[in-house]
Amino acid sequence: MIKSVHGGNIDEICRVYNIDRESITDFSANINPLGLNLNIKNSIIDNLSDVVNYPDITYYELKEEISKFEEIKKENIFLGNGAAECIFNLARALNPKKTLLLAPSFSEYEEGVKSVYGDIEYFLLKEEDDFKLTDELIEKLDESIDLLFICNPNNPTGVITDGIYLEKLIKRAEKLNIFVAVDESFLDFVDNKDKYSVMKLIYKYSNLIIVKSLTKFYAIPGLRIGFGVTNNEDLLRKIDRVTMSWNVNTLASIAAVCGLKEITYNKESIDYVNTEREYLYNKLKDMKSLKVFSPSVNFIFFKIKEDMDLKMELLKYGILIRSCNNYIGLDDKFYRIAVRTREENNKIINALNKVFNDER
């Protein structure tokens, strides 16, 4: 079985096309451009000897740091080997007969629901609306739906939805006995995230679940660490029953605890991404061959106006980008690129100018 293609599959690309890994700049994975924080790196190195022991099965310290960071009770937290495992465990716990998914959006929601053989209905986001959520989605809800996934900011479109709209949606879903899972994995890159986060609503709505990744912001995707939050005690018990013991490894837990304490790094990351995102966005907007959608976090979504395989064209310049042609609702004209360092951002800008000017 072949899993859905994600960004960051640089090793596979290099094997298939016989490319030296060191020659590739990876714009396909949306990882913090500041890279691995030195304190987090040292915390991993300094605690390597701890791998001879099992992790704390209660993950007390990790949950304590998450609860402080998110200002929630640690009893409402469940952990995952990446946010993807939280999504799969949620699907296993709820075993929904019918799930409503937005399209385009993160493919792991679909994979999670399919793993429990649930039916899926897709709500297609419209390009003419810039892929934004509208009241049409709220009107779409009915009692046949058991679960709804929302990605905020959405991946791959970068659309961010304010909390006022989301509460309206959650409230309507509650009346219809629909669980709403909101994925806020990229929201830590947003400097005014309280305007968009629904974390403060978990004690108000028992049908709300929030999922977050810690790997993207702290640049540790190889360690796999994520968490979920809900105030629904029955659901927490069900999730606990389907979750394997010691599902988060020792080093991932240590790295996450250290990262959540890194106030300076967290602020510098947000500021840096804001600056580089605007720089890259404005440069892309100037290109007549592109239709660029307004970004909100550390990646930019665009559509090319010419017939070409842009991913393959950019590989000639040592650049890997994310083709979005395997997202439901998109075709091979849509792409997503990460926001990286100024030097790297200039590299892709120069390469795009050469590609579209046919300077090959």
Side-chain angles (χ1 to χ4, degrees), residues 22-202:
E22 297 303 315
S23 69
I24 297 293
T25 304
D26 186 10
F27 279 84
S28 72
N30 308 316
I31 307 304
N32 190 330
L34 289 185
L36 181 61
N37 172 265
L38 182 61
N39 290 335
I40 296 176
K41 182 178 181 178
N42 288 336
S43 74
I44 296 169
I45 295 170
D46 293 344
N47 291 281
L48 274 175
S49 60
D50 286 355
V51 299
V52 301
N53 302 311
Y54 284 97
D56 172 11
I57 200 167
T58 68
Y59 295 100
Y60 180 89
E61 187 178 6
L62 176 56
K63 288 185 176 180
E64 185 75 12
E65 286 306 319
I66 293 171
S67 70
K68 291 177 183 176
F69 186 86
E70 300 290 352
E71 297 181 346
I72 55 171
K73 299 174 184 176
K74 60 179 179 291
E75 292 79 12
N76 299 119
I77 299 168
F78 59 96
L79 302 173
N81 185 250
E85 189 187 38
C86 294
I87 292 164
F88 272 71
N89 284 344
L90 175 60
R92 293 173 66 196
L94 287 176
N95 195 23
K97 292 182 180 179
K98 182 179 177 182
T99 300
L100 182 63
L101 298 181
L102 306 184
S105 196
F106 187 46
S107 63
E108 291 296 336
Y109 314 139
E110 179 183 18
E111 298 283 350
V113 174
K114 284 183 175 179
S115 74
V116 295
Y117 304 99
D119 291 332
I120 296 173
E121 182 175 351
Y122 297 96
F123 181 87
L124 292 178
L125 301 170
K126 299 174 183 177
E127 183 179 347
E128 55 264 35
D129 293 331
D130 291 331
F131 299 101
K132 294 178 181 178
L133 277 63
T134 67
D135 285 344
E136 188 178 347
L137 173 61
I138 298 175
E139 294 164 4
K140 176 70 176 177
L141 302 180
D142 62 47
E143 293 178 342
S144 71
I145 301 166
D146 301 307
L147 174 62
L148 166 66
F149 277 100
I150 301 286
C151 189
N152 192 40
N154 191 32
N155 179 10
T157 64
V159 171
I160 191 166
T161 305
D162 68 67
I164 295 174
Y165 172 91
L166 290 175
E167 181 168 15
K168 185 179 177 182
L169 178 72
I170 294 162
K171 188 175 182 179
R172 169 67 177 162
E174 184 183 48
K175 292 179 180 178
L176 297 168
N177 295 314
I178 301 170
F179 282 98
V180 179
V182 181
D183 185 346
E184 296 188 350
S185 290
F186 288 101
L187 204 52
D188 287 333
F189 287 101
V190 179
D191 54 5
N192 56 340
K193 69 176 184 179
D194 287 345
K195 178 182 177 182
Y196 307 100
S197 176
V198 292
M199 190 68 73
K200 57 186 175 294
L201 299 178
I202 65 160

